Amino acid sequence: DFLGGALRINSAIFQNEIKELQASFVSLLAGGAVQFENAGEARIRGVELDATWLVMPDLNPGLVLTAGGSYLDAVYTDFDDASGFNETTGVFSDGNDYTGNQIPRVPEYTYTVGISQTMSVPGGPLEIASDYAYNDGFFFLSQNGNSREPSYALLGARVSYLYEPWQLRLTIFGNNLTDEVYRVSQFFTDFGRLDSQAPPRTYGLRFNWTFE
């Protein structure tokens, strides 16, 4: 804690050694069922940091800035005799060595920043907030190759009002305001790849009611 408690910073440095990590794989030419393979060993080294700052704790205690970020080095340290798809033909292959490849769905760099303003209005607090998140990309498959999802960034915003006598919260929100195109999953087969796109720019109205 710094600045009389107005600024709080949390951080962590870590290393995880994972043994007998399993990886899943599907091939129509190899039976069509989900196969689970023993990926041997993997290692994840990382640094994480997050901060919360009350910018003007005396003049405007409702104004808050937040930020966070991480660096992850996640690789297979022992993964031979692995299944995959030929990068050129797409045909199933086994006996591959993926030692040194990145673990799927683990981005190397991510960070977020956010700002919120909370104020008292008749009936309860009103919050106006926005946040921005960056992801530098990751792989969907253990073989890495052409399964990479490129980097993307998401911008969101919301206005939320809590009517305290009823404990009823009304939130108007917008997600992916820049209409970023990115994928949430990829399904690979011997005959091609099926992508599942993430939701585009989305607006909504949400009610939350807390009762006993």
Side-chain angles (χ1 to χ4, degrees):
D1 288 341
F2 302 92
L3 304 178
L7 174 63
R8 169 166 290 183
I9 299 176
N10 300 305
S11 63
I13 301 175
F14 58 89
Q15 175 167 307
N16 296 329
E17 301 285 346
I18 307 171
K19 296 183 178 180
E20 299 182 359
L21 177 66
Q22 286 192 329
S24 61
F25 185 81
V26 179
S27 171
L28 300 179
L29 297 181
V34 178
Q35 304 176 36
F36 291 94
E37 301 179 320
N38 189 342
E41 299 180 357
R43 184 210 67 224
I44 302 177
R45 293 173 177 165
V47 178
E48 294 181 341
L49 180 72
D50 68 78
T52 303
W53 181 24
L54 303 179
V55 182
M56 297 180 286
D58 296 324
L59 296 177
N60 184 4
L63 179 61
V64 180
L65 297 180
T66 58
S70 68
Y71 164 76
L72 298 175
D73 178 24
V75 297
Y76 293 111
T77 54
D78 180 16
F79 191 7
D80 54 11
D81 195 23
S83 299
F85 294 108
N86 184 284
E87 291 287 323
T88 303
T89 65
V91 176
F92 168 79
S93 64
D94 55 11
N96 302 290
D97 187 357
Y98 296 155
T99 302
N101 284 9
Q102 291 186 27
I103 298 174
R105 296 182 177 274
V106 182
E108 188 174 19
Y109 295 100
T110 60
Y111 69 83
T112 61
V113 291
I115 182 171
S116 66
Q117 174 69 64
T118 303
M119 61 195 79
S120 295
V121 298
L126 176 70
E127 180 191 24
I128 303 172
S130 180
D131 52 75
Y132 178 88
Y134 172 81
N135 185 315
D136 83 328
F138 52 86
F139 291 98
F140 284 103
L141 291 182
S142 300
Q143 74 180 66
N144 293 177
N146 61 5
S147 72
R148 181 167 179 81
E149 176 65 28
S151 63
Y152 60 88
L154 301 175
L155 176 65
R158 66 185 183 276
V159 177
S160 179
Y161 170 67
L162 175 62
Y163 185 62
E164 291 182 322
W166 295 355
Q167 286 299 297
L168 178 64
R169 182 181 295 276
L170 169 65
T171 304
I172 301 172
F173 65 89
N175 295 329
N176 192 10
L177 294 178
T178 57
D179 208 18
E180 187 86 353
V181 177
Y182 67 104
R183 292 161 294 194
V184 293
S185 68
Q186 291 181 353
F187 181 70
F188 286 80
T189 72
D190 313 78
F191 306 102
R193 187 184 81 191
L194 177 64
D195 292 348
S196 295
Q197 299 289 340
R201 182 187 297 115
T202 305
Y203 303 99
L205 181 64
R206 183 169 55 241
F207 291 92
N208 297 90
W209 181 30
T210 303
F211 60 93
E212 297 181 354

